Amino acid sequence: MIGSSRHLEARDPDLAFSLFPFNVEALINKAERQFAGRASTAELDALVRQAKRLLAFSAGDARLYSLIGEAQRRSGESKPAFQAFERSLALSRTERLALQRVLLQDVENGKPADALERVDALFRRWPEQITAYAPLVSQTFAAPGSYDLLIGRMETAPPWRTTLISRLAANPATLQFSARLVQDLAAGASQPRPGEISNVLNGLINAGQYSLAYRTFLMTLSPKEQGVTGHVHDGRFQLVPSGRPFDWQIRNHPGVMFSSYATDAGKMDKGLTITFLQAPVRGLWVRQLLRLPAGRYSLSMRASAVEVALPKGLSWRIRCVRSNRRLVRLPATEGTYQDIDLSADLTVSPENCPLQVLELETRAIAESWNDRYRGSISFDDIRVVERSS
């Protein structure tokens, strides 16, 4: 009978429990099914009696106390229910149901310090619960006093921090709270991780909150990064690109090698060098998001090349992200040359162009081996500066 009960405890917990009324797993599964439906008062009372009887043989099983507490809570017996939940947590501080119920009670009773301890335990043991409870975190810890508690805990880099920030950034209702978190982490002792910043920036950009996204980018820069920023961030490629929005994003491409001062400091003294390996080039991904206010600007850079052949051209362009309207195109030239100045003017309209992208492109529509790129070309000191009227 015991073996049959164990075999059936997940599939048919009622039958399993009737075959062996000391099967705790069967009772737990039976209770979960009844809680998921609309258990009657009689059914809830029966669960309490059955769980109390099993406590005589499994006194250390915290789940039984949670079962009792949940059945009593659903029956309107709040005080004994939370006594049972507390007893459950005394046996196991990460018992999920008890932890969830006591967490909500701490929030309702205005006990943020206690709630934070419950959140920490819940997210460490049950990380799949972060998505469901992320909105509660933003609501509970938004006030100044409780917010300081949360930031203090997040500065210790708990294992759930990155996931929580990601879930907050993915929800429009909690997006601004996630930006506040990474900004304040950057101002404190524990710098946010690049992935945490990227999640928040991408969430803000996708939501059309471009000003807050750019402000968050600036406020999360390290001191070294702050020294190379401007309308174009790190226009001399002195730092390894982070890949975050508003920083350089450079993807590997067949037939092309990228190198920069940051990655090959012993070999180079300037900018970004692109070496072409006798192959067609289409769909380059060298880009940076810009946040240029409406106005008149000039895009400029220095270029050097060694026997570079560009059969389908190679140009820098700035376009509006939202409308895809091109603002400026600045082509490179073929051949060999050293430190020539390239520049072109552009105007950013106050209408429908709140975010721009600076990117490198070719005119190739399809890859043809008749259009093979070769040689190398370098770009340095890329800038966008305002022009006087």
Side-chain angles (χ1 to χ4, degrees):
M1 301 293 281
I2 296 176
S4 297
S5 177
R6 296 294 185 199
H7 180 71
L8 293 167
E9 64 189 22
R11 187 174 58 193
D12 193 344
D14 289 286
L15 179 57
F17 190 71
S18 65
L19 289 172
F20 183 56
F22 298 99
N23 187 336
V24 174
E25 295 297 332
L27 180 60
I28 297 296
N29 291 337
K30 174 183 175 181
E32 287 178 351
R33 290 192 178 189
Q34 292 189 1
F35 293 154
R38 293 197 174 188
S40 65
T41 301
E43 289 173 326
L44 294 172
D45 290 343
L47 285 175
V48 171
R49 290 194 303 272
Q50 291 162 349
K52 286 182 176 179
R53 186 175 70 246
L54 287 184
L55 281 174
F57 304 94
S58 304
D61 197 324
R63 295 174 302 168
L64 290 173
Y65 284 101
S66 281
L67 188 160
I68 292 169
E70 183 64 11
Q72 290 174 328
R73 187 188 71 84
R74 288 170 180 259
S75 296
E77 302 175 57
S78 180
K79 185 174 181 180
F82 280 95
Q83 289 174 345
F85 289 140
E86 293 288 359
R87 182 67 183 275
S88 175
L89 293 176
L91 292 170
S92 173
R93 66 182 294 269
T94 59
E95 205 298 301
R96 185 165 59 114
L97 181 57
L99 197 52
Q100 291 170 316
R101 296 306 181 206
V102 174
L103 165 60
L104 293 175
Q105 186 189 50
D106 288 338
V107 171
E108 290 175 3
N109 293 339
K111 297 180 178 179
D114 292 340
L116 181 58
E117 295 303 322
R118 311 297 187 190
V119 165
D120 186 63
L122 181 66
F123 288 176
R124 286 176 186 270
R125 176 61 182 86
W126 308 99
E128 70 276 7
Q129 297 296 316
I130 295 176
T131 299
Y133 282 87
L136 180 69
V137 170
S138 68
Q139 295 166 16
T140 303
F141 299 99
S146 56
Y147 180 78
D148 292 343
L149 292 173
L150 178 62
I151 279 291
R153 182 61 56 92
M154 295 187 78
E155 285 180 340
T156 67
W160 44 264
R161 188 179 86 176
T162 297
T163 304
L164 175 63
I165 290 174
S166 174
R167 299 301 180 267
L168 291 168
N171 185 342
T174 57
L175 179 54
Q176 292 193 5
F177 188 76
S178 72
R180 180 184 177 190
L181 286 175
V182 295
Q183 289 175 17
D184 290 338
L185 285 171
S190 177
Q191 289 294 309
R193 302 180 181 100
E196 294 170 345
I197 300 170
S198 290
N199 283 333
V200 173
L201 295 181
N202 285 319
L204 291 167
I205 290 168
N206 291 337
Q209 299 187 40
Y210 305 128
S211 294
L212 180 56
Y214 188 58
R215 185 164 68 250
T216 301
F217 169 74
L218 294 177
M219 293 180 68
T220 53
L221 293 176
S222 68
K224 185 179 291 187
E225 291 170 327
Q226 291 172 10
V228 298
T229 201
H231 284 315
V232 174
H233 180 71
D234 192 17
R236 303 206 66 183
F237 299 90
Q238 295 172 266
L239 304 178
V240 176
S242 68
R244 301 193 304 266
F246 304 108
D247 192 359
W248 289 111
Q249 297 178 334
I250 302 174
R251 293 181 183 173
N252 292 331
H253 191 284
V256 179
M257 288 181 57
F258 297 103
S259 56
S260 68
Y261 175 81
T263 57
D264 295 271
K267 303 175 184 178
M268 300 180 58
D269 61 358
K270 63 182 68 177
L272 174 72
T273 294
I274 304 169
T275 303
F276 297 108
L277 306 177
Q278 295 279 355
V281 175
R282 171 180 169 271
L284 280 175
W285 191 275
V286 179
R287 64 185 312 214
Q288 181 180 134
L289 288 178
L290 307 178
R291 176 70 170 138
L292 301 174
R296 293 152 52 91
Y297 298 90
S298 177
L299 169 65
S300 65
M301 64 192 70
R302 290 197 305 272
S304 301
V306 177
E307 297 182 352
V308 69
L310 310 169
K312 288 295 181 179
L314 183 69
S315 302
W316 289 94
R317 73 169 177 174
I318 298 178
R319 62 178 173 86
C320 301
V321 170
R322 182 178 290 176
S323 67
N324 207 35
R325 178 166 54 88
R326 189 175 72 192
L327 302 177
V328 69
R329 181 173 171 269
L330 185 57
T333 56
E334 296 184 317
T336 298
Y337 44 87
Q338 181 74 25
D339 286 334
I340 65 170
D341 293 322
L342 304 175
S343 66
D345 295 338
L346 66 143
T347 299
V348 177
S349 168
E351 298 179 358
N352 202 30
C353 195
L355 189 70
Q356 308 83 31
V357 60
L358 167 66
E359 57 193 353
L360 195 58
E361 64 171 358
T362 70
R363 297 192 309 275
I365 298 174
E367 292 185 351
S368 169
W369 285 91
N370 294 322
D371 301 319
R372 285 177 285 186
Y373 284 61
R374 67 176 187 271
S376 65
I377 188 168
S378 301
F379 298 101
D380 187 27
D381 200 18
I382 302 176
R383 301 185 184 195
V384 172
V385 296
E386 295 182 61
R387 288 187 294 138
S388 58
S389 301

